[in-house]
Amino acid sequence: MLLSELKTGEKGVVVKVMGHGGFRKRIIEMGFIKGKTVEVILNAPLQDPVKYKIMGYELSLRHDEAAMIEVVSEEEAATTISQEIKNNGSEVVQEESLHSSLKDLATKKRRTINVALVGNPNCGKTSLFNFASGATEHVGNYSGVTVDAKEGVCHFEGYTFNLVDLPGTYSLTAYSPEELYVRKQIIEKTPDVVINVIDSSNLERNLYLTTQLIDMNLRMVCALNMYDDLERKGDKLDTSKLGQLFGVPMIPTVFKTGKGVDLLFHIIINLYEGVDYIDEDGNINPEIAAEIQNWHREYSKDIEHEEDFAAGNKVKNNVFRHIHINHGADIEDAITKVRAELEKNSHIRHRYSLRYLAIKLLENDSEANKTALALPNGKEVLDVRDEQTRIIKLSTNEDSETAIMNAKYGFINGALKESFVEGNNPDAHQITKVLDKIVTNRWLGFPLFFAFLWLMFWVTFTLGQYPMDWIDMGVNWLKDLVNNNMTDGPLKDLIADGIIGGVGSVIVFLPQILILYFFISIMEDSGYMARAAFIMDKLMHGMGLHGKSFIPMIMGFGCNVPAIMATRTIESRNSRLITMLVLPFMSCSARLPIYIMIIGAFFASYQSVIMLSLYAIGIIVAIIMSRVLKRFLIKNDDTPFVMELPPYRFPTAKAIWRHTWSKGKQYLKKMGGIILVASIIVWFLGYYPNHDAFSNAQEQQENSYLGKIGKTIEPAFIPNGFDWKLDVGLVAGVGAKEIVASTLGVIYSNDDSFSEDDTVSDDTVKYNTLNAKMTADGITPLAAFSFLLFVLLYFPCLATIAAIKGETGSWRWALFAAIYTTAVAWIVSALVFQIGSLI
Ligand code: GDP
Ligand code: MG
């Protein structure tokens, strides 16, 4: 619990102090040392300050300061003791055991460390997260894959780590949602330690973020990840020198294989336990040093590295220290002045490093401005700031934001000069350069990209055919088994036609979906996706969007929901909104089952062409709609952006497999959940009422609930050429688009006028059967195609609509997306049907 929650007269033992370095230092100097007992002298609710007694002294803290100190109370300790007594069956309760168990409990609690992963996009944060926590989060070789904080747990050398994987950011300005999000996480969630993951093959740019994190005065280690790339290039880096210069331990790592992770976590424990107890000269408090040594002996006998604290009471290499990035005399002077004005507000000191806040104010950061304005002397603070930015402008001839940035890069370059020697290996980047020349070539880029897309779909459908046939055989076998062994009645029909028929018609597409995801994973992990975005940039500008919008759109081919979330990397709010609104036109894999079904039945001889045309039409409609939206609805502002081109990497088989499978798993889950339920409902609606009243299956269906729903809405879709059966599929598909296929599966398998053929598992026969059934209903190939168009374009699915609501924060836009996509679908498919009929 928190110190602020202890009541007058209660006692507790200090577990840890949270917050930035400056605050922790002050609190610890007051005596709030881990393991010490603190007693509340007076804590009146809503009344500041609160009086405490610790190590014989009385002192006072404000409520929100006390809320940054974690303690164990006597009450907690007592319950643990009684719990232990219960467990061990021991009868003896000793008075003094309360105190020692209080300390034990504090130590135990202390051994949980909250760690946040911060770093540029694509530097390997998620790889570390997955490696350490055993999670299977999506890693991809392009920016913007992680758009939310993911939490995981791991255990190491007696400690528990709560890991949070944060979105990638290049800096901590207030320009993009991620940057603000990361800032908020750091300031509000106050992680105990931050792991700054760095792409070592791109030190200069990655260290920029590091300098900003140093401003925040966090307990931090840097993981020099992708160290394999650096070595391959033949570069030489003196990591301990770099660590000294930055005052942050720098650990070489390769998260792809897990190299360096042990050392990294080992250093984190040292840092967490020791760093607050080191004085200016680098001497560590002997009591603390002894504690750390004990832990070393217990847990890390076989770890070979310099034991930074255990070696002596003096910290080696001077690597754990808080430095101030020197911004040069003018800026430093300005920082001091702004800081002095901020200092009058003691109530924000526990939250922000004032130096950090001063720097942010000088950068004219909008969030910092808001924070400052809320202060009692907010106006004065901003006045001082304005005065100082004016002076900086005068003396450096740059606006203060640029001046601060340049100063930081100056610091980084200086540090790299001392520690870094570039190698002259014909490096991996050479290959990247050559590949890029080809792949992003003006003439070759597009043909290559479309050739790749074509190959992707071709392999998906030809290769996918084989396992698809096997599954289909299995489904039919199961159906026969039920048909032959159960007594006639509704239950048998429910199982055979409703469940097996409905779910079966969707599950056969699993292999194809896996293959599709396999290709998308390769595109992502190899770095090709980023190039695709790059060559599409010009086109995207034509749509009024950025190249950055392209990645979410490609992701949309997999599933629209993560794609909607991936739009968070787009800085401009309006571009982001437009991207979200047109994303549903990207044909997600849930639409595949129905495409394959209808294409198989009507267009067997030119599958790929029809399939590709659907994807292309989706893209074209997206282009048109984004232009329309930009023109009439959302005025777009054009903020410039950087299009990242990460080096090509050979994707590991393991990563690809994991990524592919995790999608497949989601698909299967959906199968067991919403699709199963929907299949049963659809079957029920098609079976009742009065199933036995008609001898003719056709008649029976028309008179079922399902038939009635279909018939009611049938007039609306006459211009599109659909009959009531197709309409029913569309209505059911609102939940998820796979349900369109499973619904038609149920409807047509109920229709036993052709049931003789159902037992034949040969594919051509199956599709011929379906074709015959649908043709008998009067569905022409043209109507079938306009049906495909409708499925492509209309209402995405409930999950996507919910995602749009979540990301825009308003139901208005979600509702708008639902309605306008359906309107577009109706218009396009009706136009195609009508014009096609004329020809
Ligand atoms: P994030 O955006 O920071 O979460 O980065 P990811 O964890 O998604 O990784 C980006 C890409 O870098 C993936 O393709 C990883 O397989 C790859 N990667 C991660 N760590 C290393 C490493 O140490 N060396 C190399 N060569 N590649 C890595
Ligand atoms: Mg990530």
Side-chain angles (χ1 to χ4, degrees):
M1 71 195 304
L2 303 174
L3 180 57
S4 56
E5 293 163 351
L6 284 187
K7 296 187 192 74
T8 304
E10 289 184 331
K11 277 188 192 162
V13 168
V14 177
V15 174
K16 64 168 100 158
V17 182
M18 294 170 279
H20 66 86
F23 172 74
R24 291 197 318 268
K25 199 164 165 65
R26 189 162 64 84
I27 294 296
I28 286 168
E29 274 167 4
M30 288 167 95
F32 290 92
I33 294 169
K34 56 183 175 181
K36 299 283 181 228
T37 306
V38 52
E39 185 183 346
V40 186
I41 307 288
L42 184 68
N43 181 4
L46 306 176
Q47 188 188 315
D48 269 334
V50 190
K51 280 203 175 135
Y52 297 102
K53 188 170 178 182
I54 191 158
M55 303 208 299
Y57 293 97
E58 276 189 27
L59 39 85
S60 56
L61 288 180
R62 277 179 308 102
H63 243 280
D64 40 15
E65 290 175 324
M68 304 280 280
I69 303 173
E70 194 183 328
V71 296
V72 199
S73 68
E74 282 181 326
E75 210 179 302
E76 277 176 275
T79 38
T80 342
I81 290 181
S82 61
Q83 196 61 44
E84 268 166 24
I85 290 170
K86 236 191 242 156
N87 292 346
N88 303 338
S90 154
E91 294 289 325
V92 201
V93 193
Q94 284 159 344
E95 258 307 305
E96 74 263 30
S97 81
L98 182 67
H99 183 73
S100 70
S101 90
L102 208 57
K103 272 195 93 158
D104 283 352
L105 200 59
T107 312
K108 222 188 254 168
K109 285 220 155 158
R110 201 180 153 73
R111 292 198 161 189
T112 297
I113 311 180
N114 299 316
V115 178
L117 305 183
V118 181
N120 286 191
N122 206 31
C123 62
K125 297 176 298 298
T126 306
S127 302
L128 168 62
F129 180 82
N130 286 345
F131 182 86
S133 69
T136 51
E137 282 306 330
H138 179 170
V139 298
N141 196 7
Y142 60 86
S143 49
V145 176
T146 308
V147 286
D148 229 335
K150 298 269 165 19
E151 294 180 28
V153 178
C154 73
H155 303 278
F156 183 74
E157 294 186 346
Y159 283 76
T160 302
F161 293 81
N162 291 327
L163 299 173
V164 182
D165 183 20
L166 293 175
T169 55
Y170 294 112
S171 76
L172 295 175
T173 50
Y175 291 131
S176 78
E178 286 94 38
E179 295 181 341
L180 279 178
Y181 184 79
V182 170
R183 265 163 70 163
K184 223 174 125 186
Q185 286 276 324
I186 292 175
I187 287 170
E188 286 173 9
K189 296 271 158 70
T190 59
D192 296 315
V193 177
V194 166
I195 301 180
N196 175 205
V197 182
I198 287 175
D199 173 357
S200 319
S201 58
N202 210 336
L203 281 172
E204 188 182 350
R205 201 200 52 213
N206 277 257
L207 286 170
Y208 183 66
L209 179 65
T210 313
T211 58
Q212 293 191 321
L213 292 167
I214 288 174
D215 288 342
M216 293 182 92
N217 194 356
L218 304 165
R219 224 167 355 196
M220 176 162 82
V221 288
C222 288
L224 295 169
N225 195 35
M226 314 226 171
Y227 211 75
D228 52 340
D229 277 357
L230 179 135
E231 285 175 334
R232 201 171 310 131
K233 286 193 328 191
D235 294 347
K236 292 268 173 304
L237 178 65
D238 183 344
T239 54
S240 74
K241 180 84 185 188
L242 191 67
Q244 281 169 33
L245 293 171
F246 275 80
V248 180
M250 301 266 177
I251 322 289
T253 59
V254 182
F255 290 147
K256 209 160 64 171
T257 60
K259 204 174 139 218
V261 173
D262 281 359
L263 180 57
L264 182 73
F265 281 94
H266 185 82
I267 295 288
I268 289 174
I269 298 170
N270 275 304
L271 179 76
Y272 169 76
E273 291 291 5
V275 79
D276 287 337
Y277 302 91
I278 301 171
D279 67 13
E280 305 272 299
D281 304 322
N283 295 311
I284 184 168
N285 174 327
E287 209 178 309
I288 304 289
E291 242 178 64
I292 296 178
Q293 269 166 334
N294 285 338
W295 159 74
H296 265 286
R297 256 172 240 135
E298 194 176 343
Y299 284 101
S300 58
K301 291 170 210 97
D302 47 346
I303 284 225
E304 275 184 45
H305 71 96
E306 299 183 28
E307 295 176 340
D308 293 273
F309 291 117
N313 284 347
K314 187 135 177 130
V315 181
K316 270 208 187 148
N317 291 339
N318 217 5
V319 86
F320 300 103
R321 67 198 172 107
H322 174 55
I323 62 156
H324 286 178
I325 306 286
N326 186 352
H327 294 82
D330 296 313
I331 298 173
E332 285 300 327
D333 200 41
I335 294 174
T336 312
K337 297 226 165 74
V338 177
R339 206 198 122 114
E341 191 61 39
L342 284 170
E343 217 156 54
K344 294 176 184 163
N345 303 282
S346 56
H347 66 281
I348 55 165
R349 297 194 56 175
H350 68 282
R351 241 180 125 90
Y352 302 98
S353 151
L354 293 187
R355 182 180 162 83
Y356 163 75
L357 200 53
I359 293 172
K360 282 288 158 216
L361 281 169
L362 286 167
E363 287 175 350
N364 201 10
D365 179 279
S366 57
E367 281 298 300
N369 284 346
K370 267 189 239 160
T371 310
L373 269 179
L375 299 174
N377 64 341
K379 206 185 147 325
E380 285 83 355
V381 171
L382 293 186
D383 283 348
V384 174
R385 191 272 311 274
D386 292 342
E387 170 70 7
Q388 292 303 319
T389 48
R390 207 176 50 78
I391 296 175
I392 292 174
K393 172 101 197 171
L394 276 180
S395 55
T396 62
N397 220 359
E398 287 164 330
D399 63 79
S400 54
E401 192 182 349
T402 316
I404 290 172
M405 190 175 83
N406 287 341
K408 287 199 154 81
Y409 274 113
F411 177 89
I412 294 166
N413 282 324
L416 287 180
K417 264 232 157 59
E418 285 190 52
S419 56
F420 182 72
V421 187
E422 204 170 336
N424 46 9
N425 266 14
D427 55 41
H429 290 207
Q430 202 61 41
I431 300 167
T432 293
K433 270 185 204 146
V434 174
L435 277 176
D436 270 349
K437 274 230 173 80
I438 302 167
V439 161
T440 62
N441 179 286
R442 203 140 52 109
W443 306 110
L444 288 175
F446 281 106
L448 273 176
F449 178 52
F450 286 111
F452 186 84
L453 282 189
W454 183 84
L455 178 78
M456 173 166 103
F457 288 119
W458 185 79
V459 174
T460 302
F461 297 122
T462 48
L463 218 63
Q465 195 61 52
Y466 298 99
M468 193 170 159
D469 289 344
W470 304 330
I471 296 182
D472 198 37
M473 262 154 64
V475 168
N476 279 323
W477 175 82
L478 211 65
K479 222 174 181 176
D480 289 346
L481 196 74
V482 172
N483 273 330
N484 298 336
N485 293 303
M486 281 180 70
T487 43
D488 283 350
L491 186 64
K492 171 176 156 179
D493 292 346
L494 168 68
I495 294 176
D497 297 331
I499 298 177
I500 301 177
V503 175
S505 63
V506 178
I507 203 168
V508 293
F509 298 101
L510 181 65
Q512 301 198 328
I513 278 164
L514 287 179
I515 295 173
L516 189 70
Y517 272 116
F518 172 78
F519 273 90
I520 290 183
S521 309
I522 289 184
M523 287 227 286
E524 286 172 353
D525 290 359
S526 64
Y528 183 63
M529 187 78 101
R531 270 71 188 183
F534 184 81
I535 60 172
M536 294 302 284
D537 187 45
K538 251 221 177 89
L539 273 184
M540 299 304 279
H541 274 278
M543 298 168 69
L545 296 174
H546 288 158
K548 271 198 178 177
S549 304
F550 185 70
I551 287 170
M553 291 180 119
I554 286 280
M555 284 176 82
F557 288 141
C559 172
N560 287 179
V561 174
I564 296 275
M565 283 163 53
T567 58
R568 285 187 199 171
T569 46
I570 302 166
E571 275 99 356
S572 142
R573 204 191 119 73
N574 290 342
S575 290
R576 196 176 156 206
L577 190 55
I578 296 180
T579 310
M580 277 191 258
L581 290 177
V582 300
L583 249 175
F585 297 132
M586 298 296 111
S587 184
C588 70
S589 59
R591 287 164 234 198
L592 269 180
I594 187 69
Y595 294 170
I596 294 174
M597 197 164 159
I598 301 285
I599 290 176
F602 283 92
F603 310 102
S605 35
Y606 21 85
Q607 288 198 359
S608 333
V609 181
I610 296 283
M611 190 69 84
L612 213 56
S613 78
L614 287 173
Y615 281 79
I617 290 170
I619 295 169
I620 292 167
V621 171
I623 292 173
I624 296 171
M625 283 323 292
S626 69
R627 299 215 60 152
V628 171
L629 288 171
K630 190 187 168 190
R631 179 90 192 245
F632 295 108
L633 211 60
I634 307 157
K635 277 212 64 71
N636 198 12
D637 49 335
D638 253 339
T639 31
F641 69 98
V642 181
M643 197 81 237
E644 270 301 298
L645 290 181
Y648 288 100
R649 298 214 165 79
F650 212 79
T652 58
K654 213 169 118 194
I656 300 262
W657 163 244
R658 204 158 59 180
H659 179 182
T660 307
W661 175 236
S662 79
K663 297 289 174 195
K665 219 167 46 187
Q666 274 175 22
Y667 190 75
L668 283 178
K669 260 192 207 146
K670 208 152 55 166
M671 212 71 47
I674 185 159
I675 291 177
L676 177 64
V677 173
S679 295
I680 294 174
I681 293 176
V682 169
W683 173 86
F684 177 87
L685 291 176
Y687 199 82
Y688 294 102
N690 28 7
H691 174 68
D692 300 322
F694 304 92
S695 52
N696 179 311
Q698 190 76 17
E699 239 173 90
Q700 189 277 321
Q701 285 217 326
E702 283 194 51
N703 286 290
S704 68
Y705 293 123
L706 203 60
K708 281 176 192 150
I709 296 173
K711 293 262 170 187
T712 314
I713 59 169
E714 194 172 24
F717 292 103
I718 286 179
N720 310 57
F722 310 158
D723 67 351
W724 63 268
K725 291 184 183 174
L726 297 185
D727 298 344
V728 165
L730 294 177
V731 172
V734 162
K737 289 212 171 161
E738 293 97 331
I739 301 175
V740 181
S742 59
T743 303
L744 293 188
V746 174
I747 291 181
Y748 286 105
S749 88
N750 250 350
D751 182 350
D752 44 33
S753 41
F754 290 91
S755 66
E756 260 73 305
D757 300 331
D758 267 358
T759 49
V760 186
S761 63
D762 181 66
D763 215 65
T764 332
V765 176
K766 196 189 81 185
Y767 282 133
N768 283 343
T769 312
L770 184 64
N771 180 294
K773 285 178 184 177
M774 293 180 75
T775 309
D777 289 341
I779 302 295
T780 59
L782 179 64
F785 186 68
S786 76
F787 181 68
L788 288 178
L789 287 180
F790 196 93
V791 172
L792 164 71
L793 300 173
Y794 88 118
F795 188 98
C797 71
L798 285 179
T800 303
I801 294 296
I804 295 177
K805 148 81 177 50
E807 294 302 306
T808 58
S810 94
W811 275 115
R812 210 165 57 99
W813 285 118
L815 222 66
F816 176 76
I819 293 168
Y820 104 93
T821 50
T822 308
V824 167
W826 192 89
I827 293 169
V828 170
S829 103
L831 272 181
V832 166
F833 184 70
Q834 292 304 327
I835 294 172
S837 305
L838 289 180
I839 303 166

mmCIF file of all heavy atoms in Angstrom, residues 378-398:
data_model
loop_
_atom_site.group_PDB
_atom_site.id
_atom_site.type_symbol
_atom_site.label_atom_id
_atom_site.label_comp_id
_atom_site.label_asym_id
_atom_site.label_seq_id
_atom_site.Cartn_x
_atom_site.Cartn_y
_atom_site.Cartn_z
ATOM 1 N N GLY A 378 1.492 30.648 -13.144
ATOM 2 C CA GLY A 378 1.622 30.209 -14.527
ATOM 3 C C GLY A 378 1.988 31.340 -15.481
ATOM 4 O O GLY A 378 2.828 31.174 -16.361
ATOM 5 N N LYS A 379 1.362 32.470 -15.269
ATOM 6 C CA LYS A 379 1.604 33.578 -16.180
ATOM 7 C C LYS A 379 3.064 34.017 -16.087
ATOM 8 O O LYS A 379 3.722 34.244 -17.107
ATOM 9 C CB LYS A 379 0.664 34.738 -15.834
ATOM 10 C CG LYS A 379 0.395 35.622 -17.036
ATOM 11 C CD LYS A 379 -0.434 36.825 -16.695
ATOM 12 C CE LYS A 379 -0.070 38.046 -17.551
ATOM 13 N NZ LYS A 379 1.313 38.215 -17.926
ATOM 14 N N GLU A 380 3.556 34.097 -14.857
ATOM 15 C CA GLU A 380 4.953 34.514 -14.665
ATOM 16 C C GLU A 380 5.895 33.511 -15.325
ATOM 17 O O GLU A 380 6.848 33.891 -15.985
ATOM 18 C CB GLU A 380 5.297 34.628 -13.174
ATOM 19 C CG GLU A 380 4.719 35.860 -12.483
ATOM 20 C CD GLU A 380 3.281 35.659 -12.045
ATOM 21 O OE1 GLU A 380 2.693 34.593 -12.363
ATOM 22 O OE2 GLU A 380 2.718 36.552 -11.394
ATOM 23 N N VAL A 381 5.595 32.219 -15.124
ATOM 24 C CA VAL A 381 6.457 31.193 -15.710
ATOM 25 C C VAL A 381 6.554 31.394 -17.215
ATOM 26 O O VAL A 381 7.644 31.419 -17.789
ATOM 27 C CB VAL A 381 5.918 29.777 -15.400
ATOM 28 C CG1 VAL A 381 6.682 28.722 -16.201
ATOM 29 C CG2 VAL A 381 6.017 29.471 -13.915
ATOM 30 N N LEU A 382 5.387 31.578 -17.843
ATOM 31 C CA LEU A 382 5.398 31.723 -19.295
ATOM 32 C C LEU A 382 6.063 33.032 -19.721
ATOM 33 O O LEU A 382 6.725 33.089 -20.762
ATOM 34 C CB LEU A 382 3.978 31.624 -19.847
ATOM 35 C CG LEU A 382 3.343 30.230 -19.703
ATOM 36 C CD1 LEU A 382 2.000 30.181 -20.416
ATOM 37 C CD2 LEU A 382 4.253 29.139 -20.221
ATOM 38 N N ASP A 383 5.912 34.063 -18.889
ATOM 39 C CA ASP A 383 6.597 35.318 -19.208
ATOM 40 C C ASP A 383 8.109 35.117 -19.214
ATOM 41 O O ASP A 383 8.799 35.548 -20.139
ATOM 42 C CB ASP A 383 6.224 36.402 -18.183
ATOM 43 C CG ASP A 383 4.830 36.948 -18.469
ATOM 44 O OD1 ASP A 383 4.312 36.640 -19.575
ATOM 45 O OD2 ASP A 383 4.264 37.646 -17.605
ATOM 46 N N VAL A 384 8.594 34.453 -18.174
ATOM 47 C CA VAL A 384 10.037 34.199 -18.101
ATOM 48 C C VAL A 384 10.456 33.388 -19.320
ATOM 49 O O VAL A 384 11.463 33.679 -19.974
ATOM 50 C CB VAL A 384 10.405 33.438 -16.803
ATOM 51 C CG1 VAL A 384 11.881 33.053 -16.813
ATOM 52 C CG2 VAL A 384 10.085 34.272 -15.584
ATOM 53 N N ARG A 385 9.657 32.370 -19.625
ATOM 54 C CA ARG A 385 9.978 31.518 -20.750
ATOM 55 C C ARG A 385 10.050 32.338 -22.057
ATOM 56 O O ARG A 385 11.012 32.241 -22.808
ATOM 57 C CB ARG A 385 8.910 30.430 -20.870
ATOM 58 C CG ARG A 385 9.231 29.314 -21.832
ATOM 59 C CD ARG A 385 8.816 29.572 -23.263
ATOM 60 N NE ARG A 385 7.455 30.025 -23.422
ATOM 61 C CZ ARG A 385 6.405 29.235 -23.528
ATOM 62 N NH1 ARG A 385 6.570 27.928 -23.494
ATOM 63 N NH2 ARG A 385 5.204 29.738 -23.691
ATOM 64 N N ASP A 386 9.031 33.184 -22.255
ATOM 65 C CA ASP A 386 9.013 33.962 -23.493
ATOM 66 C C ASP A 386 10.242 34.857 -23.597
ATOM 67 O O ASP A 386 10.869 34.961 -24.649
ATOM 68 C CB ASP A 386 7.737 34.805 -23.567
ATOM 69 C CG ASP A 386 6.506 33.918 -23.733
ATOM 70 O OD1 ASP A 386 6.692 32.745 -24.134
ATOM 71 O OD2 ASP A 386 5.384 34.391 -23.457
ATOM 72 N N GLU A 387 10.557 35.479 -22.484
ATOM 73 C CA GLU A 387 11.737 36.332 -22.441
ATOM 74 C C GLU A 387 12.987 35.528 -22.812
ATOM 75 O O GLU A 387 13.805 35.947 -23.630
ATOM 76 C CB GLU A 387 11.856 36.911 -21.013
ATOM 77 C CG GLU A 387 13.151 37.631 -20.700
ATOM 78 C CD GLU A 387 13.274 38.967 -21.438
ATOM 79 O OE1 GLU A 387 12.278 39.361 -22.071
ATOM 80 O OE2 GLU A 387 14.356 39.574 -21.393
ATOM 81 N N GLN A 388 13.096 34.332 -22.221
ATOM 82 C CA GLN A 388 14.292 33.523 -22.463
ATOM 83 C C GLN A 388 14.351 32.993 -23.896
ATOM 84 O O GLN A 388 15.423 32.952 -24.482
ATOM 85 C CB GLN A 388 14.356 32.349 -21.475
ATOM 86 C CG GLN A 388 14.593 32.772 -20.026
ATOM 87 C CD GLN A 388 15.862 33.594 -19.865
ATOM 88 O OE1 GLN A 388 16.888 33.292 -20.469
ATOM 89 N NE2 GLN A 388 15.782 34.645 -19.063
ATOM 90 N N THR A 389 13.218 32.614 -24.455
ATOM 91 C CA THR A 389 13.272 32.139 -25.846
ATOM 92 C C THR A 389 13.690 33.279 -26.775
ATOM 93 O O THR A 389 14.395 33.068 -27.746
ATOM 94 C CB THR A 389 11.915 31.590 -26.332
ATOM 95 O OG1 THR A 389 10.908 32.515 -25.985
ATOM 96 C CG2 THR A 389 11.592 30.252 -25.721
ATOM 97 N N ARG A 390 13.276 34.480 -26.397
ATOM 98 C CA ARG A 390 13.664 35.639 -27.203
ATOM 99 C C ARG A 390 15.191 35.799 -27.163
ATOM 100 O O ARG A 390 15.834 35.997 -28.189
ATOM 101 C CB ARG A 390 12.978 36.893 -26.658
ATOM 102 C CG ARG A 390 12.742 37.983 -27.702
ATOM 103 C CD ARG A 390 11.967 39.162 -27.084
ATOM 104 N NE ARG A 390 12.586 39.615 -25.818
ATOM 105 C CZ ARG A 390 13.681 40.376 -25.751
ATOM 106 N NH1 ARG A 390 14.266 40.782 -26.846
ATOM 107 N NH2 ARG A 390 14.165 40.738 -24.586
ATOM 108 N N ILE A 391 15.732 35.658 -25.946
ATOM 109 C CA ILE A 391 17.189 35.802 -25.805
ATOM 110 C C ILE A 391 17.919 34.705 -26.588
ATOM 111 O O ILE A 391 18.899 34.968 -27.284
ATOM 112 C CB ILE A 391 17.584 35.767 -24.309
ATOM 113 C CG1 ILE A 391 16.970 36.977 -23.598
ATOM 114 C CG2 ILE A 391 19.099 35.762 -24.148
ATOM 115 C CD1 ILE A 391 17.175 36.997 -22.108
ATOM 116 N N ILE A 392 17.409 33.495 -26.488
ATOM 117 C CA ILE A 392 18.049 32.392 -27.222
ATOM 118 C C ILE A 392 18.027 32.680 -28.718
ATOM 119 O O ILE A 392 19.010 32.513 -29.425
ATOM 120 C CB ILE A 392 17.336 31.050 -26.926
ATOM 121 C CG1 ILE A 392 17.578 30.637 -25.484
ATOM 122 C CG2 ILE A 392 17.835 29.955 -27.863
ATOM 123 C CD1 ILE A 392 16.809 29.406 -25.040
ATOM 124 N N LYS A 393 16.899 33.155 -29.167
ATOM 125 C CA LYS A 393 16.750 33.474 -30.592
ATOM 126 C C LYS A 393 17.791 34.514 -31.017
ATOM 127 O O LYS A 393 18.423 34.406 -32.060
ATOM 128 C CB LYS A 393 15.326 33.976 -30.834
ATOM 129 C CG LYS A 393 15.078 34.511 -32.208
ATOM 130 C CD LYS A 393 14.361 33.494 -33.063
ATOM 131 C CE LYS A 393 14.502 33.892 -34.522
ATOM 132 N NZ LYS A 393 14.043 32.920 -35.460
ATOM 133 N N LEU A 394 17.942 35.526 -30.144
ATOM 134 C CA LEU A 394 18.897 36.590 -30.452
ATOM 135 C C LEU A 394 20.324 36.055 -30.535
ATOM 136 O O LEU A 394 21.066 36.366 -31.454
ATOM 137 C CB LEU A 394 18.833 37.678 -29.377
ATOM 138 C CG LEU A 394 17.743 38.737 -29.570
ATOM 139 C CD1 LEU A 394 17.789 39.754 -28.442
ATOM 140 C CD2 LEU A 394 17.922 39.432 -30.925
ATOM 141 N N SER A 395 20.675 35.212 -29.569
ATOM 142 C CA SER A 395 22.082 34.823 -29.495
ATOM 143 C C SER A 395 22.426 33.639 -30.397
ATOM 144 O O SER A 395 23.545 33.494 -30.829
ATOM 145 C CB SER A 395 22.485 34.529 -28.052
ATOM 146 O OG SER A 395 21.618 33.568 -27.520
ATOM 147 N N THR A 396 21.444 32.766 -30.677
ATOM 148 C CA THR A 396 21.790 31.611 -31.510
ATOM 149 C C THR A 396 21.235 31.724 -32.917
ATOM 150 O O THR A 396 21.569 30.926 -33.779
ATOM 151 C CB THR A 396 21.235 30.301 -30.912
ATOM 152 O OG1 THR A 396 19.816 30.407 -30.881
ATOM 153 C CG2 THR A 396 21.767 30.038 -29.528
ATOM 154 N N ASN A 397 20.372 32.697 -33.114
ATOM 155 C CA ASN A 397 19.750 32.857 -34.413
ATOM 156 C C ASN A 397 18.861 31.662 -34.791
ATOM 157 O O ASN A 397 18.609 31.414 -35.957
ATOM 158 C CB ASN A 397 20.816 33.067 -35.486
ATOM 159 C CG ASN A 397 20.347 34.112 -36.482
ATOM 160 O OD1 ASN A 397 19.228 34.629 -36.352
ATOM 161 N ND2 ASN A 397 21.180 34.410 -37.457
ATOM 162 N N GLU A 398 18.456 30.910 -33.782
ATOM 163 C CA GLU A 398 17.553 29.780 -34.035
ATOM 164 C C GLU A 398 16.394 29.904 -33.058
ATOM 165 O O GLU A 398 16.551 30.472 -31.987
ATOM 166 C CB GLU A 398 18.267 28.459 -33.764
ATOM 167 C CG GLU A 398 19.296 28.084 -34.797
ATOM 168 C CD GLU A 398 20.220 26.989 -34.289
ATOM 169 O OE1 GLU A 398 20.469 26.902 -33.075
ATOM 170 O OE2 GLU A 398 20.694 26.220 -35.120
#
